[in-house]
Amino acid sequence: MSLIPPWLRPPRVRERLASYHLRSDLLDAAAAMASDQRSDIYVVRLESSLTDSETVLRMMDGRHARVMGLLVLTSERIHFRSRRRTGPTFSVPLGDVLAIEAYTRRGTSTVRVITPYGSLTVDQILGRQGEMLADDARATIRGEPLPEQDPLRLLAELRALRDSDAISAAEFEIRKSTIFRS
């Protein structure tokens, strides 16, 4: 039972994006990322750049070449799509990734993707999301299945987001109750 009355509770990500009829994997990744309704339109636009054969595994807001956008890990590639129409974008097939590095400082993550053609850096990622993307990318490249959504891991990720002020205490309680219900 939530401590917040339904009329005061902000709509959840799935509720906000329901009218767009997005793919379920895209909705799952959007619901798991730390963002607010300002990112919704970019999630909707992202669907047009995905192929039918790939699955979205993780997604987050970040900055590449001084431009904000969405960093996306799919089953086939790592993709960055700028919020600007003419801004920088990149798409690296997972087979071309030589290494992926991530670290977190002062509540924000940085991810560096190293390819035979150079390296690509995305920073200003909220919380530890960058490290989670790097871990999932390494597992996908090795061909390992991603772990089931362990409730304790989800709760730890949620706590990290709250502690870095990426989400409010109220949003933490809402998401925590969702984890306990499932």
Side-chain angles (χ1 to χ4, degrees):
M1 185 170 161
S2 175
L3 300 174
I4 301 172
W7 61 88
L8 286 178
R9 181 183 56 80
R12 292 186 173 97
V13 174
R14 290 181 189 283
E15 295 167 351
R16 292 192 320 251
L17 296 173
S19 63
Y20 295 105
H21 308 290
L22 299 173
R23 300 168 22 166
S24 63
D25 61 324
L26 189 56
L27 281 174
D28 291 343
M33 76 184 220
S35 69
D36 56 18
Q37 63 271 13
R38 292 176 291 183
S39 295
D40 289 355
I41 191 64
Y42 305 109
V43 171
V44 172
R45 290 179 184 163
L46 175 68
E47 186 174 38
S48 65
S49 62
L50 300 172
T51 65
D52 292 337
S53 63
E54 65 187 330
T55 303
V56 177
L57 304 174
R58 195 170 284 276
M59 174 173 41
M60 62 208 54
D61 290 315
R63 181 182 75 166
H64 171 66
R66 297 187 187 178
V67 177
M68 291 301 291
L70 284 178
L71 178 63
V72 183
L73 170 65
T74 72
S75 56
E76 298 175 4
R77 61 188 168 142
I78 297 175
H79 180 70
F80 179 83
R81 182 167 180 159
S82 169
R83 288 185 176 175
R84 297 182 188 165
R85 295 201 188 275
T86 59
T89 62
F90 67 78
S91 183
V92 179
L94 291 178
D96 288 352
V97 175
L98 299 177
I100 184 164
E101 303 168 346
Y103 61 89
T104 303
R105 274 197 199 117
R106 296 188 186 118
T108 61
S109 298
T110 299
V111 173
R112 190 168 145 221
V113 180
I114 302 167
T115 71
Y117 319 108
S119 66
L120 303 159
T121 302
V122 178
D123 59 5
Q124 291 191 355
I125 301 168
L126 288 176
R128 297 178 47 93
Q129 292 182 99
E131 292 180 29
M132 293 182 276
L133 178 130
D135 292 342
D136 290 349
R138 288 186 206 104
T140 303
I141 290 168
R142 288 190 301 262
E144 299 172 359
L146 292 179
E148 284 292 316
Q149 292 294 352
D150 177 23
L152 294 177
R153 179 181 175 206
L154 290 174
L155 193 56
E157 292 172 5
L158 200 55
R159 253 190 226 115
L161 291 173
R162 181 196 61 195
D163 293 345
S164 68
D165 291 330
I167 61 173
S168 67
E171 178 71 11
F172 171 78
E173 292 299 326
I174 292 168
R175 290 186 184 188
K176 184 174 79 171
S177 66
T178 304
I179 292 170
F180 288 139
R181 275 192 303 246
S182 61

